[in-house]
Every structure is written in structure tokens, then in C-alpha cells.
Amino acid sequence: MNTLPGLPELKPSTLYCIGRNYADHAKELNNPVPETPVMFTKPSSCIIHDNGTILLPHGAGEVHHEAELVIAIGKTGKHIIREQAIEYIAGLAAGIDVTDRAAQTRLKEKGLPWLLAKGLDTFGPVGNFTPPGKPGQLEDIDVIMEVNGQIRQEGNTRDLLFPVTDLIVRLSALFTLQPGDLIFTGTPAGVGPLKDGDLATARIRHRGAELSSVTVNVAHS
Ligand code: ZN
């Protein structure tokens, strides 16, 4: 995809992803709660949009949904301070950090990078980006995953171990954030498998009002 939905002036750049950012999700996978954010990236070729299709790799084990709040960066920044972090946000969207959990488990055991579990084509659905909203909205966003109309995950950004502004501060201390970079901010508990024929929807809401959603099909590649 050449631009981000809702932000036609931005081309997707680096997809930064944060792992284990909700304590209840870290625990469900028997991971320790981290003292600093777990960071990894996905290629921009992961991105699909509403009505797209997640392609399950041939011979893959369990491929999991991870519903997440996704932040789009609107301008270049390095060493961003907390008080100014919100100024770098161009928009918010619902997204899914699709994960080949079986591959990730094998890679973790060998101490290898997660690219082959996280970075495949179609493994990054994102919905329409909406403005970041008033101060305080970022800290009260429901993150919801539905599969075939049933709720599988339901969390709120008030439970993030590292809040959005903290992630921008920490990422920009290490990397020059650029327009079109995305931050997948982590997933709440309830991750689970996606199967051929599933219809998967991630949503973000603020006090009952839907901000963004993305609905995708699931099929064998
Ligand atoms: Zn994730």
C-alpha cells in the first residue's frame, strides 16, 4: 500500500512493535513483565487494510491475532521529550500484529530474531487513522479483537506498562522517528489462533465511541 488510510500524505515507513506491554498478556505466554519495552520491527509489506486477507503460511502452526492500538508518526523526531510526544502523532488506528506463534516459540528457544514469525506479507492489518484527540484520550482507549463476531480480546490503554508517550520518548532516544512510521503498542490478554475462513476485526474505542476498526479475512496462502 502506498499511503496510510485516513492519512493520504503519509507513506508507511518502519513498523515498530512493542512486545509484552500489558502485564496480563505477558503472563498468559509465561513471559516475565519487562523492565524496558520489548521492541521489534515488521516490514511495511506486512500492511493490509480493511477487507484485506491475512494469508496463513503454508505449513504454519498456530497463527495468532494480537489486537493493538497503532500510532502513526507525522513528523521527524529524535530525542523527543514526553511533553511534546503527542505533537508527533498524526493519527491512531486499530491494527493486528499477526504472529505465527509456533514459529515465534521455536525462534525464541534458539534466541533468534522474530522476523519469520512477525514479518510475513499480510501480517500487519491496520484500519483508518483518526486524529489523536484531546489530552487524556490516549490513556483511555479500549482495544478489542473479535473473531467471527465473538470478542476474543478486550483491554484498555490505561493498563499499558509503557504508555504511548513513553514509547515515543524511548523509541526516539534510539531511532530517528520519521513521517509514516507506525508504532504497534502491544496487545492485551486473550491472543489466540486464526483459522482459514475466519473474519477478524480489531477495534479501538474511546468511552464507547469507535475511533477505528479493521476487518480482514483469513485464508491459506
Ligand atoms: Zn504484538
Side-chain angles (χ1 to χ4, degrees):
M1 280 293 167
N2 289 329
T3 64
L4 295 170
L7 295 170
E9 71 281 13
L10 291 180
K11 277 174 64 154
S13 184
T14 302
L15 278 52
Y16 294 100
C17 302
I18 306 302
R20 303 173 198 166
N21 203 11
Y22 292 83
D24 57 355
H25 168 64
K27 283 181 195 140
E28 76 178 341
L29 295 182
N30 295 316
N31 288 312
V33 172
E35 288 173 17
T36 56
V38 175
M39 298 175 182
F40 60 96
T41 59
K42 290 158 101 84
S44 59
S45 48
C46 286
I47 293 177
I48 57 171
H49 297 309
D50 214 32
N51 298 315
T53 301
I54 295 169
L55 295 174
L56 303 172
H58 185 72
E62 281 202 353
V63 174
H64 278 191
H65 53 78
E66 295 190 355
E68 309 200 0
L69 165 66
V70 180
I71 304 295
I73 297 295
K75 57 180 184 177
T76 302
K78 188 84 193 274
H79 299 299
I80 298 167
I81 61 170
R82 188 174 318 270
E83 292 70 26
Q84 292 176 350
I86 197 160
E87 296 168 21
Y88 289 81
I89 300 176
L92 318 177
I96 309 174
D97 171 20
V98 181
T99 303
D100 182 337
R101 193 72 69 201
Q104 188 196 24
T105 301
R106 282 196 301 276
L107 294 165
K108 275 159 70 176
E109 283 168 3
K110 293 180 182 167
L112 293 171
W114 297 353
L115 179 63
L116 299 177
K118 295 277 199 179
L120 303 181
D121 284 359
T122 76
F123 272 27
V126 290
N128 205 54
F129 283 85
T130 57
K134 295 190 188 116
Q137 177 170 292
L138 278 170
E139 292 78 34
D140 183 11
I141 292 178
D142 295 314
V143 178
I144 297 150
M145 184 79 222
E146 294 171 12
V147 180
N148 304 326
Q150 293 204 315
I151 292 178
R152 296 267 193 92
Q153 295 182 266
E154 205 167 11
N156 186 286
T157 55
R158 75 173 72 90
D159 297 319
L160 284 172
L161 297 169
F162 303 98
V164 170
T165 50
D166 194 29
L167 295 176
I168 291 171
V169 170
R170 288 170 182 264
L171 281 166
S172 73
L174 299 164
F175 312 104
T176 301
L177 296 182
Q178 295 176 303
D181 284 351
L182 301 184
I183 305 173
F184 284 67
T185 58
T187 198
V191 299
L194 293 168
K195 300 209 163 54
D196 181 56
D198 281 347
L199 190 66
T201 301
R203 303 181 191 281
I204 57 169
R205 288 190 189 133
H206 175 63
R207 297 183 185 163
E210 187 147 291
L211 302 176
S212 171
S213 71
V214 59
T215 297
V216 292
N217 303 288
V218 181
H220 286 301
S221 59

